[in-house]
Amino acid sequence: MAESGRIRVAKDKADLVKSLISSDGGNGPFQTFADVIVFAAALGVKYKKRVPFEEVSKREPVPIRIETFMSMGYDAVIKLLGITETQNIQILSPNDEEFEKQRNEIFEEYANGGLEVLQEHLRGAIDYTDQISLFLISDKDKKNEDDGEFDLRKFLS
């Protein structure tokens, strides 16, 4: 179960999360661990991939304080996922520690699923920024084709 007041990262995804950060001389596309986790959670939701984890990273990245997410405005994502997943508005209760733990766990599991999606798409890549951009562009193009939108690029081949 999630711990109150912190968002955890699965131990097996810790190295991936660290490699996606641009600090300390890295070339990742994200500035903070919180940025990575929110992006991963959004991917997890998009791909309907909610993955529980047993082992939590004890080293970098350590569980991230919820205040970090709040200061960046990301707490809204955590709350929206909680409501969407449980269909229970009570999960927003600020005074109930159990609801907070449940919200955090839902968010963590979607982030873990999104990190699995990223792991698959980044395998063998050197520049994660370019690879993520290409992944997002190709996904958008695929969606446009599925929607039946008219695309002039069809005539270029």
Side-chain angles (χ1 to χ4, degrees):
M1 182 110 196
E3 69 179 82
S4 181
R6 295 188 180 269
I7 300 297
R8 304 166 307 157
V9 175
K11 185 177 182 180
D12 64 328
K13 309 290 185 328
D15 288 337
L16 173 63
V17 171
K18 286 190 292 189
S19 70
L20 292 168
I21 300 297
S22 62
S23 64
D24 297 330
N27 63 350
F30 300 99
Q31 297 295 315
T32 67
F33 291 131
D35 294 332
V36 174
I37 300 305
V38 169
F39 180 78
L43 273 181
V45 170
K46 178 178 180 11
Y47 287 93
K48 296 176 177 53
K49 192 160 184 158
R50 184 176 170 189
V51 180
F53 55 90
E54 294 295 320
E55 205 166 353
V56 177
S57 175
K58 301 283 189 234
R59 296 192 169 169
E60 283 266 319
V62 296
I64 306 163
R65 296 181 55 84
I66 200 73
E67 288 82 8
T68 303
F69 291 89
M70 293 171 76
S71 70
M72 301 169 102
Y74 294 153
D75 59 316
V77 176
I78 297 169
K79 292 173 182 175
L80 285 171
L81 279 177
I83 291 172
T84 303
E85 195 67 19
T86 64
Q87 299 294 305
N88 180 3
I89 195 79
Q90 294 299 319
I91 198 162
L92 296 178
S93 175
N95 302 323
D96 190 324
E97 192 172 313
E98 285 307 309
F99 281 134
E100 181 183 4
K101 285 181 182 178
Q102 189 179 5
R103 281 192 313 264
N104 291 353
E105 182 175 4
I106 291 166
F107 178 73
E108 290 169 346
E109 290 177 356
Y110 274 116
N112 196 38
L115 288 168
E116 283 188 5
V117 171
L118 277 175
Q119 246 175 355
E120 292 169 21
H121 287 284
L122 296 177
R123 191 164 312 204
I126 295 171
D127 186 344
Y128 286 170
T129 303
D130 284 346
Q131 195 65 30
I132 288 173
S133 296
L134 290 171
F135 164 61
L136 294 174
I137 290 168
S138 71
D139 195 53
K140 180 181 179 282
D141 289 344
K142 185 176 134 192
K143 181 183 180 296
N144 287 344
E145 288 173 13
D146 292 344
D147 291 344
E149 287 185 21
F150 183 74
D151 187 358
L152 288 174
R153 290 177 291 180
K154 293 178 186 177
F155 297 103
L156 294 176
S157 41

